[in-house]
Amino acid sequence: MPEKAYSRSLKERQKRQREELILQCAEAVLLEKGYHDMSMDEIAARVGIAKGTVYLHFAKKEDLVHALLDREMLSVLQMIETAKAMDGTVRARLETILRSLYPGLSEKRDHLLYLLFSESDIRTAMHEKHSAVMYEMSMQVTQLLEEGKARGEFRAEIPTRVMLLTFFSLLSARSYKRTLKDWDIEPEVVIDNIAGIYFRGIAADRPERHDEDEAR
Amino acid sequence: MPEKAYSRSLKERQKRQREELILQCAEAVLLEKGYHDMSMDEIAARVGIAKGTVYLHFAKKEDLVHALLDREMLSVLQMIETAKAMDGTVRARLETILRSLYPGLSEKRDHLLYLLFSESDIRTAMHEKHSAVMYEMSMQVTQLLEEGKARGEFRAEIPTRVMLLTFFSLLSARSYKRTLKDWDIEPEVVIDNIAGIYFRGIAADRPERHDEDEAR
Amino acid sequence: MPEKAYSRSLKERQKRQREELILQCAEAVLLEKGYHDMSMDEIAARVGIAKGTVYLHFAKKEDLVHALLDREMLSVLQMIETAKAMDGTVRARLETILRSLYPGLSEKRDHLLYLLFSESDIRTAMHEKHSAVMYEMSMQVTQLLEEGKARGEFRAEIPTRVMLLTFFSLLSARSYKRTLKDWDIEPEVVIDNIAGIYFRGIAADRPERHDEDEAR
Amino acid sequence: MPEKAYSRSLKERQKRQREELILQCAEAVLLEKGYHDMSMDEIAARVGIAKGTVYLHFAKKEDLVHALLDREMLSVLQMIETAKAMDGTVRARLETILRSLYPGLSEKRDHLLYLLFSESDIRTAMHEKHSAVMYEMSMQVTQLLEEGKARGEFRAEIPTRVMLLTFFSLLSARSYKRTLKDWDIEPEVVIDNIAGIYFRGIAADRPERHDEDEAR
DNA sequence: TATGAATGAGATTTCATTCAT
DNA sequence: CATGAATGAAATCTCATTCAT
């Protein structure tokens, strides 16, 4: 039954397409209104399908948001992996990641990432669900940070985990966006200086000894 | 009528006590469940009073949360002012503030402060209401940062506003607390290193000139 | 114990005074806001006493309104009796009554009378309670109308009860007050013509026999 | 897609039916209990649907009542227009209208019309909403009254507006229905005599024709 | 006796979720 | 499959009434 197989894969493709569409619209609503004020009605309306159809793809509102965040995190993970594979100093690669994640700078206006750490509802609901991808993300950056330590770029005394924590903390500055708006300050200047503070903060004292350290 | 005056002040005191109790319970629920999942019913139940009684003290749910945040912010503001008036380097004073605010370290387990910057509902609802206290808080820290620049402690090239922004960003690390728990790392070590990263990140290049600046 | 008696009568008098005050304020609120939007809180506040004190005088909101309407009806009854005892034609006496009751004309801006016939809540609540005074009121006007018939002023064919009903119907025109306001028409002109229509409507065909009746 | 069209019109029809059912039940409750004591719960229960379903048709309680009154007023307006287009004297046509509106006579037991003029809550809430239909109703009757004046049927001295006002006042007699019940008097006799009083009250004098009419 | 804080039933409204068509 | 009407639990807020002081 090749027809059926074809048909099935077609259907499958259509299903994925629609799922993608739902996720996109849901993301928009989530970013605009937050978790609680995001209604299934509005999402369905934006996609142009019936509310029931959304439930064919995602059994619960929570599941939809979970899928949303997972997708976002996977894309972030890919970005991290790409950046990690780049040439240059570790700092340069981490800075690339930081700039990609910094809200208001990337093509995508806003990152959902920060939602995971801000809205307590989501945190409660999603609890452990994202552990795998989050762990992977953390591991990638951890590896970079440790490579930086090994290369003598970063201070070895600072626990890598704290470096990691601080790295992600910088992103939550998004919350201050409103405040930033009032100030007439360019986003690029902001991120430049934030990166400056962070990397100077973790930089090893004497970068010239870097070769010696390696040789050691 | 001294009796009446006494009686009135007694009632007043009882009212304040009850209000305090409501605020405490509400704070707990708010931190546990977030703004939307915090129900007036639950607050009343925790306090051990009827729902209507809560409304005798706070006309709307929003008002209750507003009072909550205001109280918190005022207490933070007082702490900041106290720390600001201390002796020692600017860094030492800012570090005191940072440690006071850092969640999981102070006596009070959690700070509501971060809620103001995280939950989009609260942000929208409270938006302008806290501007005065928030502005004051920002100004106090801004003054400290600029004093640090003037003394040659901090790098003059970094815009003070970005320093401020980054300073507060560090606090939002609270979101990672769950993650931190998994890691076997002492909170004190965490905050020590975070402070280390931040202050090294904003430190002027040659601290030995510091004395010259002072003598100037 | 003459003291106690004196004291008791004093207290009694004070109680009546306060009751009167409550009734006055309640009347004002009732006329301004209607039965449901009239809150016991507001009444107490206007009187300047505590809400509980109102309940010392009137066990339920319903009872308060009942007392209110009863008082109003008694005063109307007195007015009717006075008018009834006047000299002149029956029509003249009934017109006096009509003008007294017509809202927007008497000293008191508004009559509560119409409330009894309008707000269905009150009707339901008060159901039979006012039967005695209402019956008395109806009887007085009925007697006048029958006197008018006997004197040949009014058409004998019309059942007196329908005359009575129509007489009171005219008062409910108050509901159209808002409409009237839009029209630039004097209240006096309105009531003159309403009276004109009514009394012409019930007038006997040959008023010349009226004198004979009078001479009788 | 005739099926879909059929299906849609079917759904549409069902929706209208359901809406009609809700309106009928709501009307009953409204007449029985008044605006405030009419609860959405009771309406839903009477219709036999869930509370939420009522809100699918009417977004707010106020909207439901508004629809109710609008429907009623439109039906009254149609009746008035039909009556107005009839042959015969103006009085005959107005009497038709009066009898149609008189509560307790028409097929429908009760008219909502009077509610619009009685319950202060409704008046406030609906205030301007019905102005168009109410204005139209008033205009139709006004035209009739003026036609009657022009034809010499009615007294030209009485302001048409007062005639109009009095005309509608007669309807509010409904409030006395309860009282009427106690009296053993036929509704037909009541409305006959009320009409008699009103039209005699506004009839033009023309004594010479009067005899002819009488002799007829 | 007067008070007014406390109560809690009840009203409106929202919205995630289900299910017959 | 897709639909969207129906559901009903739950949330906020009001206010007549009670009762300890």
Side-chain angles (χ1 to χ4, degrees), chain D residues 5-212:
Chain D
Y6 171 75
S7 156
R8 197 189 296 169
S9 77
L10 178 67
K11 289 240 170 157
E12 194 62 25
R13 217 182 314 154
Q14 284 179 336
K15 182 171 182 176
R16 294 225 185 271
Q17 275 180 19
R18 169 80 47 108
E19 218 156 278
E20 182 60 29
L21 208 55
I22 294 171
L23 286 171
Q24 278 170 24
C25 292
E27 185 178 312
V29 182
L30 182 58
L31 283 168
E32 282 172 33
K33 313 226 173 158
Y35 182 69
H36 262 102
D37 290 338
M38 155 187 133
S39 84
M40 298 304 264
D41 269 288
E42 180 167 1
I43 291 168
R46 286 211 197 181
V47 182
I49 58 180
K51 193 167 29 174
T53 309
V54 179
Y55 280 89
L56 288 181
H57 296 265
F58 305 96
K60 296 168 170 255
K61 182 183 178 183
E62 196 185 306
D63 293 353
L64 171 54
V65 175
H66 174 260
L68 216 55
L69 296 177
D70 234 27
R71 199 181 60 145
E72 174 79 3
M73 289 174 72
L74 273 171
S75 110
V76 167
L77 186 56
Q78 283 173 353
M79 179 275 294
I80 289 179
E81 280 166 352
T82 304
K84 200 184 159 201
M86 281 169 35
D87 289 330
T89 61
V90 175
R91 169 178 170 157
R93 285 177 267 165
L94 280 170
E95 227 177 298
T96 303
I97 293 170
L98 189 62
R99 282 167 197 275
S100 285
L101 292 177
Y102 202 74
L105 283 186
S106 63
E107 310 122 40
K108 266 168 97 193
R109 284 295 167 87
D110 287 295
H111 272 286
L112 290 173
L113 194 67
Y114 86 99
L115 262 176
L116 214 66
F117 304 118
S118 54
E119 302 227 26
S120 48
D121 316 314
I122 295 186
R123 255 175 311 172
T124 309
M126 305 293 154
H127 200 209
E128 312 290 297
K129 289 199 175 176
H130 301 283
S131 51
V133 191
M134 279 195 60
Y135 179 76
E136 188 60 24
M137 272 177 49
S138 298
M139 283 317 292
Q140 296 294 341
V141 178
T142 296
Q143 282 172 20
L144 269 175
L145 290 168
E146 291 192 333
E147 188 187 337
K149 277 188 185 177
R151 286 207 193 176
E153 280 190 55
F154 304 150
R155 301 178 65 83
E157 308 97 85
I158 306 175
T160 309
R161 281 160 176 175
V162 177
M163 281 187 182
L164 182 70
L165 185 68
T166 310
F167 183 79
F168 281 115
S169 304
L170 299 174
L171 300 171
S172 59
R174 197 212 92 110
S175 318
Y176 297 79
K177 219 168 60 174
R178 210 184 298 272
T179 313
L180 273 183
K181 256 186 188 163
D182 298 344
W183 301 346
D184 48 352
I185 199 161
E186 290 297 310
E188 287 79 11
V189 178
V190 175
I191 185 60
D192 280 349
N193 278 284
I194 286 177
I197 294 172
Y198 178 67
F199 290 111
R200 185 178 296 267
I202 65 170
D205 279 338
R206 287 193 252 166
E208 68 281 5
R209 297 200 186 170
H210 172 60
D211 298 330
E212 289 173 21

Side-chain angles (χ1 to χ4, degrees), chain B residues 37-108:
Chain B
D37 290 338
M38 156 189 133
S39 84
M40 300 302 266
D41 269 287
E42 180 167 2
I43 292 168
R46 285 211 196 179
V47 182
I49 58 180
K51 189 169 32 176
T53 310
V54 180
Y55 281 91
L56 288 181
H57 296 265
F58 305 96
K60 294 167 173 258
K61 182 185 178 182
E62 197 185 305
D63 293 352
L64 171 53
V65 175
H66 174 261
L68 215 54
L69 295 178
D70 234 28
R71 200 181 59 146
E72 175 77 3
M73 289 173 71
L74 273 171
S75 112
V76 167
L77 186 55
Q78 283 173 353
M79 181 274 295
I80 289 179
E81 281 166 350
T82 304
K84 200 182 159 203
M86 281 167 38
D87 290 330
T89 61
V90 175
R91 172 183 167 150
R93 284 176 268 165
L94 279 171
E95 228 179 296
T96 304
I97 294 170
L98 190 62
R99 283 167 195 276
S100 286
L101 291 178
Y102 201 74
L105 283 187
S106 62
E107 310 122 42
K108 265 168 101 192

Side-chain angles (χ1 to χ4, degrees), chain A residues 39-71:
Chain A
S39 81
M40 299 303 267
D41 269 288
E42 181 167 1
I43 292 167
R46 286 212 196 180
V47 181
I49 58 178
K51 188 162 44 170
T53 310
V54 179
Y55 279 87
L56 290 181
H57 295 265
F58 305 96
K60 296 169 168 259
K61 184 184 179 182
E62 198 185 303
D63 293 352
L64 172 53
V65 175
H66 172 259
L68 213 54
L69 295 177
D70 235 27
R71 200 183 59 145

